[in-house]
Amino acid sequence: WAYEEYLRELLDAEVANRADNVVARRLREARFPVEKSLEHFDFSRQTDLKRDEVLRLARCEWVDERRSVLIAGPVGTGKTHLAIALGAAAARRKYRVRFYRADDLVRELTEAKSEQVVGRLLARLERVDVLVLDELGFVPFDRTGAELLFSLVSRRSQRRSTIVTTNLAFEEWVKVFGDEKLTAALLDRLGERAEVLLTNGTSYRMSSRKEEAKPEP
């Protein structure tokens, strides 16, 4: 190779290596509990879910537009799979992503408040480009936890993006937050210009167990 060509190849390799390192760091910082991708999502079992719509979301324009994604449906219908896959797609585009189970986040916020460092935690979470809140609805929050989560959502509203998965219909969220006005305000902030994905059907895990339990012919 000529010197100039050799130098160009070295620089291109260095740029590619740095980009790969950034993506790896973003995925590590997201703290996903497992790896999930849309390639392994079974769209054939979700008659109400449009594959093209989900693939469009994987391009992450909604992150640039500071919008949110709400994924609602029965237990075991792939909500967490979709949330992780969309979060990972954002991380691969070098956005800052952080995954939480909703009750874990509320507990962390409550503990931070008791230790008088909640402002620091809220500020850090406010900078995350995509915050994934998984399984909202399984555990009701006390008044303090509900108010802290509302504060976080309000601070991120129209500034950052959030993915929420829930097994509850939106009118049932009051069961989790315990206050109608707070719940309505939270839904107003999350739902404004949000993308809504609805999953349906029976649990994948239960279906798999039934298939495994079938006697061999």
Side-chain angles (χ1 to χ4, degrees), residues 30-138:
R31 301 186 187 180
F32 296 120
V34 292
E35 293 184 13
K36 295 290 184 181
S37 67
L38 294 179
E39 287 79 5
H40 297 101
F41 187 82
D42 188 358
F43 285 95
S44 67
R45 301 184 63 170
Q46 293 296 330
T47 57
D48 293 339
L49 197 61
K50 296 180 181 178
R51 181 189 182 95
D52 290 344
E53 181 180 359
V54 177
L55 295 180
R56 174 181 60 80
L57 292 176
R59 297 198 295 269
C60 297
E61 288 96 341
W62 58 278
V63 183
D64 292 328
E65 296 165 359
R66 311 294 193 268
R67 293 188 289 119
S68 296
V69 177
L70 307 181
I71 308 174
V75 173
T77 52
K79 300 184 300 297
T80 298
H81 187 142
L82 288 171
I84 292 176
L86 292 176
R92 290 190 181 95
R93 291 177 181 267
K94 303 178 185 176
Y95 292 107
R96 291 182 176 86
V97 182
R98 184 68 166 88
F99 177 96
Y100 277 99
R101 279 175 47 105
D103 58 320
D104 288 338
L105 175 58
V106 169
R107 182 169 56 251
E108 190 168 321
L109 288 167
T110 303
E111 291 173 354
K113 182 177 175 63
S114 67
E115 296 169 5
Q116 299 184 349
V117 294
V118 68
R120 192 182 311 163
L121 177 57
L122 287 170
R124 185 167 74 248
L125 293 174
E126 190 178 348
R127 293 192 295 270
V128 172
D129 297 307
V130 179
L131 180 65
V132 183
L133 293 180
D134 190 37
E135 297 186 348
L136 181 69
F138 281 92

Side-chain angles (χ1 to χ4, degrees), residues 66-70 153 157-158 162 164 170 173 183-196:
R66 311 294 193 268
R67 293 188 289 119
S68 296
V69 177
L70 307 181
V153 170
S157 180
Q158 299 187 22
T162 305
V164 177
F170 298 130
W173 280 27
T183 304
L186 182 76
L187 280 168
D188 180 66
R189 284 159 176 75
L190 276 176
E192 186 176 9
R193 301 187 310 121
E195 301 276 356
V196 178

Side-chain angles (χ1 to χ4, degrees), residues 195-212:
E195 301 276 356
V196 178
L197 302 178
L198 301 177
T199 61
N200 60 19
T202 56
S203 167
Y204 289 135
R205 290 181 287 275
M206 291 301 295
S207 297
S208 297
R209 289 171 187 166
K210 288 178 181 179
E211 288 296 324
E212 292 171 0

